[in-house]
Amino acid sequence: MKIICIGRNYSDHAKELGNAIGKTPLFFLKPDTALLAKRMPFFLPDFSNEVHHEVELVVKINRVGKHIEEQFAHKYYSEISLGVDFTARDVQQVCKEKGHPWEIAKAFDGSAPVGRFISKQQFDLNNLSFSLYKNDEQVQTGNTKEMIFSVDQIIAYISKFITLKKGDLIFTGTPSGVAKVEKNDHLKAFIDQECLLDVKVR
Ligand code: MG
């Protein structure tokens, strides 16, 4: 399986990092080794002094697809969750300045904890609120209606280039409020009142 992440999909987050908003989605990949095993803590990597949390809606692909049309994209996922796209912001900044790929800042081991999956049936994915709490304080909140590109538009775009397979995960971008995590922080991510992801930083 592969993890595909969308960047700059909420204008308030793009602004907070000083990034322009594109006319098409921006995506990058994380390997399966970026997943964090259930109940395992996230270990801060030693190559960064500034790892940021980015809470994101995650969709799980449920069948193979290429060149998926936007109007049919909803048939390709039935479960959703929340994940954290951990980002070594200091390392990413150097990559950006040099025009290099972002993998060393984004794709490292454990950089993609994902919560428990739930059926999308009960939700309107174009108006879904989610939030991230750090040590019981709300640090990020977003609603999918603020997304620049919808889940279905994202799937249509990615599948022009890459075949999507059952089990692939798509991180759909983070709202504003990204910030540094510290050792012993405790992160919890919620859709409405339901906690789907609980991860400790070590
Ligand atoms: Mg992200």
Side-chain angles (χ1 to χ4, degrees), residues 47-91:
F47 53 80
S48 172
N49 293 312
E50 192 187 10
V51 173
H52 279 190
H53 54 73
E54 295 188 357
V55 70
E56 310 195 4
L57 175 71
V58 177
V59 301
K60 186 192 279 183
I61 297 298
N62 64 8
R63 67 189 68 189
V64 175
K66 180 89 196 260
H67 294 300
I68 300 164
E69 288 181 48
E70 182 185 335
Q71 61 179 314
F72 300 121
H74 66 276
K75 296 175 186 285
Y76 287 78
Y77 59 99
S78 48
E79 291 184 311
I80 60 170
S81 188
L82 294 171
V84 176
D85 167 19
F86 278 122
T87 303
R89 193 71 68 201
D90 47 355
V91 177

Side-chain angles (χ1 to χ4, degrees), residues 15-51:
K15 269 185 221 152
E16 79 180 342
L17 294 185
N19 292 319
I21 293 161
K23 290 190 172 63
T24 54
L26 180 159
F27 73 82
F28 55 91
L29 272 69
K30 296 193 187 215
D32 58 3
T33 42
L35 285 175
L36 197 57
K38 293 266 176 285
R39 290 183 292 279
M40 282 292 288
F42 168 69
F43 289 97
L44 286 167
D46 59 9
F47 53 80
S48 172
N49 293 312
E50 192 187 10
V51 173

Side-chain angles (χ1 to χ4, degrees), residues 5-8 13 28 54-56 85 87 106 171-174:
C5 302
I6 302 297
R8 304 175 191 172
H13 168 63
F28 55 91
E54 295 188 357
V55 70
E56 310 195 4
D85 167 19
T87 303
K106 286 281 198 182
F171 278 59
T172 59
T174 195

Side-chain angles (χ1 to χ4, degrees), residues 3 10 15 24 34 46 49 63 74 84 93 103 123 128 147 150-151 155 160 197:
I3 303 165
Y10 289 79
K15 269 185 221 152
T24 54
D46 59 9
N49 293 312
R63 67 189 68 189
H74 66 276
V84 176
Q93 191 54 39
E103 272 75 0
F123 301 104
L128 178 76
M147 289 167 91
S150 70
V151 172
I155 287 173
K160 287 183 190 183
L197 175 67

Side-chain angles (χ1 to χ4, degrees), residues 100-170:
H100 287 177
W102 290 350
E103 272 75 0
I104 59 170
K106 286 281 198 182
F108 53 88
D109 286 0
S111 62
V114 179
R116 179 167 52 86
F117 279 87
I118 54 177
S119 168
K120 71 175 182 182
Q121 286 304 110
Q122 52 184 310
F123 301 104
D124 175 0
L125 287 200
N126 294 311
N127 186 6
L128 178 76
S129 292
F130 59 99
S131 56
L132 181 73
Y133 284 72
K134 183 168 79 176
N135 308 327
D136 294 323
E137 180 192 344
Q138 186 176 278
V139 288
Q140 284 191 269
T141 179
N143 185 298
T144 53
K145 70 184 177 196
E146 297 153 7
M147 289 167 91
I148 298 165
F149 301 103
S150 70
V151 172
D152 292 351
Q153 288 172 328
I154 287 167
I155 287 173
Y157 184 75
I158 293 171
S159 69
K160 287 183 190 183
F161 304 93
I162 296 180
T163 300
L164 294 174
K165 289 176 145 183
K166 186 175 181 180
D168 288 350
L169 301 179
I170 301 177

